[in-house]
Amino acid sequence: MATQFVDRVTLHIAAGAGGNGCASVRREKFKPLGGPDGANGGHGGSIILEVSAQTTTLLEYHHGPHRRAQNGGIGKGDLRHGADGEDLILPVPDGTVVKTPDGEVLADLIGEGTRFVAARGGRGGLGNAALATPKRKAPGFALLGEPGEARDLVLEIKTVADVALIGFPSAGKSSLIAALSAARPKIADYPFTTLVPNLGVVQAGDVRYTVADVPGLIPGASEGKGLGLEFLRHVERCAALVHVIDCATYEPGRDPVGDLETIEAELAAYAVEIGRDGTAGTSDLLPLDQRPTLVALNKVDVPDGKDLAEIVRPDLEAKGYRVFEVSAASREGLRPLSFAMAELVQAERDRRAQAEANKPRVVLRPVAVDDTGFRVVKELTGEGEVFRILGEKPERWVRQTDFSNDEAVGYLADRLERLGVEEALFNAGAVPGSAVVIGPGDGVVFDWDPTMVGGAELLGGRGSDLRLEEGHRPTRKERKEAFHERMDAKAATREEFEQERLAERRAREAAGGRGAGRAGQEDRS
């Protein structure tokens, strides 16, 4: 069974999440608090697209569009770090263009081994051993791992060739590429025999180049009629175009000049994609209607075809075309055509080399040393003013925070304060009780209180840990005195409770006697 050719797919990918850090304390004999030993979580695996010469179609991703990388392992005690998730490498054909669902070009993968990181894995969370400082000796929390990046991508194959053979269906393009090279495409006597581009390598003198047999075009191809958009996409990278015109067609209403004008109109109407940098095309090529062009009048081995070629050749040359009379069956005129194509290819290669040499230098603009890396935006909503904090660091710290742990929340508050978030909120007009959101969308919402105790203070002041403060071992006398003090306090408490119960009972009895006296007076009256 022949392999199905798929040149456009939508891929749903999700990188691996980072493993959570571990909060652990070393416990040894005679040393119950031996210090933190919680290890870090492993990083999540990334998803990488790599050009492979062994891959010629996107069929595998057509049947399995959902791909997920391995998650990072969680950290453990005794400083056992979590394992990093393995990267998922997806092989793609040479000439694959990676785009967003909105059409933005992200990468143009040309050349075997070219890689593109499609989705980055999440960072692993730090364990409490990595969070320990001389002032915070045994943190009782660890950071969570970050989720991996998830996104949808559109992969498209654009044939990588130097020359494209274009024309109406059954014009003889497949026969021509078979005669010029060692390629053996499917050849039959009905339209649209070729459904996928075929590549062949041609040697003309010292120039070696590739020729693509692009499936037949019809009027309206630039608007998507037939398989026009799919076919024209494979012409974008070619340096030169060769119009293959059938001079022996029996279809009424068709002639070589009319066929050429129709195809030229479709090429002019096709919009070459604009890359991220604003240049025309993903490979810095000219628009299709401005490419170097040759005209091959095919099937001149047929008597009627030879006569028609001699009639229309002067008209085509008058329009500025270089015209060649060829026959794929008898191989007539193939050598001059091959050398003419080699000239165009070499000229285009020289042009690209010159453009590469004259490329402007890349200017690196590093981030300023005083750049805080975040910004505070004041928003007006139906519930009042909201102050939104946007920035890579605050958003990442929020994702790594375990909000069920008060000490972890206090650590987040410390980090935000050191970053200058509180001062920025004051400058933006925030007051205690103002609604603050960290991150885009819903984010993490809280009522801002600059004097809020973060939870780490439950263990003492920030930067200290009462659990590890050294103290002397009490003597027998001190333990005995402390025991008697506790017993005396318990006795005093019991005596106090007994006096309260006795007072309550006497009050109830007195209230009952007064009620009985009032009832007797009413009876006597």
Side-chain angles (χ1 to χ4, degrees), residues 98-142:
V98 185
K99 300 191 297 186
T100 64
D102 298 333
E104 180 186 4
V105 178
L106 301 178
D108 191 2
L109 306 179
I110 301 177
E112 185 176 2
T114 304
R115 286 189 167 196
F116 170 67
V117 180
R120 296 191 178 276
R123 299 184 183 182
L126 298 180
N128 63 342
L131 298 173
T133 63
K135 294 184 178 180
R136 191 190 297 268
K137 297 182 179 180
F141 66 97

Side-chain angles (χ1 to χ4, degrees), residues 445-465:
V445 186
F446 61 93
D447 294 333
W448 184 52
D449 186 357
T451 61
M452 180 182 64
V453 176
E457 287 74 9
L458 300 177
L459 303 175
R462 285 189 180 180
S464 63
D465 195 334

Side-chain angles (χ1 to χ4, degrees), residues 61-97:
Y61 309 123
H62 174 73
H63 293 303
H66 297 273
R67 300 302 173 102
R68 179 179 294 275
Q70 186 179 12
N71 295 333
I74 62 173
K76 300 179 181 178
D78 199 17
L79 297 178
R80 293 174 293 173
H81 297 287
D84 292 339
E86 185 177 355
D87 293 338
L88 179 61
I89 299 178
L90 303 179
V92 295
D94 192 7
T96 300
V97 177

Side-chain angles (χ1 to χ4, degrees), residues 227 304 328:
L227 296 176
D304 293 341

Side-chain angles (χ1 to χ4, degrees), residues 310-365:
E310 293 177 352
I311 294 174
V312 300
R313 179 168 185 167
D315 296 335
L316 297 177
E317 290 178 342
K319 293 185 177 183
Y321 293 106
R322 293 180 62 185
V323 183
F324 297 85
E325 298 179 10
V326 299
S327 171
S330 64
R331 307 183 67 86
E332 179 183 349
L334 296 185
R335 182 174 176 81
L337 176 62
S338 64
F339 276 88
M341 290 190 293
E343 292 177 6
L344 297 182
V345 171
Q346 188 60 47
E348 177 63 18
R349 290 174 180 174
D350 295 341
R351 186 189 72 85
R352 293 190 197 178
Q354 184 67 23
E356 186 71 21
N358 296 333
K359 266 189 176 181
R361 291 181 297 177
V362 178
V363 179
L364 299 179
R365 303 185 185 278

